[in-house]
Amino acid sequence: MELELDRALEPLRRVLLERRTAGYPETVAAAVEAAWAALAGGVDTPGLWELGVLSDGDFLEARRLLAEVEQELWPVLRLPATVEGRDWALARYCLWDLLDGRLDPLVAAERVGFELCPADDPGSPLRPVRGWLYRAEDQQEHSGGLTKELVAELHDLAARLLAGPLS
């Protein structure tokens, strides 16, 4: 039962983690989909029902309702409490999307290496992604694109990160 609940809440967790990033929420549709996934999985709160019927352009109401839903479901959501923890959780999602082919390697590397890796922390486990990105940018500039080998290196790095301190 707990695994089913966890699976039902996963899209909502992701949308809530994205709240502090630029362009949040990307679309109201993502928040509405997350609400319906949670409802379909047996989670039932007033905020989820309200969120589930929003129109696509209602960003302000989506933000308000997501904050309300986060409060309603805080104990079962198990979201990281710190900014660093939330960044690592978002990096995990991004790396999974990379490995699943849902995210372009350069887009994933830029998100993880620059947006989610703290610039002032040379010891961050995400730092190697930034190094990969510098090599990729150099290769694009001089070779006109990424080689399969360099993309494979990023996939290997993503798999190691997911198996290590970010998991």
Side-chain angles (χ1 to χ4, degrees):
M1 180 69 160
E2 190 172 316
L3 182 60
E4 290 173 20
L5 176 66
D6 205 42
R7 217 176 281 139
L9 289 172
E10 196 62 30
L12 185 59
R13 276 188 197 97
R14 188 173 191 156
V15 167
L16 289 169
L17 286 168
E18 292 282 357
R19 281 195 328 184
R20 72 172 204 82
T21 62
Y24 154 82
E26 253 182 65
T27 67
V28 174
V32 170
E33 275 183 43
W36 281 112
L39 289 164
V43 182
D44 190 0
T45 71
L48 281 175
W49 284 104
E50 285 185 61
L51 188 58
V53 297
L54 282 183
S55 63
D56 197 36
D58 206 346
F59 290 102
L60 293 177
E61 187 65 4
R63 288 180 180 165
R64 183 190 72 76
L65 286 170
L66 283 168
E68 182 179 310
V69 165
E70 184 174 8
Q71 291 303 309
E72 290 172 340
L73 297 172
W74 182 254
V76 294
L77 284 169
R78 296 183 330 275
L79 291 171
T82 66
V83 170
E84 180 183 59
R86 286 183 177 231
D87 285 349
W88 284 16
L90 280 171
R92 239 187 341 270
Y93 282 123
C94 194
L95 294 168
W96 283 332
D97 288 350
L98 166 72
L99 293 176
D100 288 346
R102 291 183 300 228
L103 198 54
D104 176 80
L106 284 174
V107 172
E110 286 175 358
R111 180 105 198 261
V112 172
F114 286 120
E115 185 179 331
L116 300 173
C117 177
D120 59 349
D121 183 5
S124 169
L126 301 176
R127 196 65 158 193
V129 177
R130 187 177 286 193
W132 180 92
L133 187 57
Y134 289 135
R135 289 193 349 262
E137 288 172 344
D138 187 54
Q139 188 176 85
Q140 277 196 304
E141 187 177 313
H142 294 87
S143 303
L146 297 179
T147 64
K148 288 180 183 178
E149 293 80 17
L150 194 60
V151 172
E153 282 181 36
L154 181 60
H155 283 204
D156 289 344
L157 177 57
R160 283 194 314 271
L161 286 170
L162 288 170
L166 299 180
S167 55

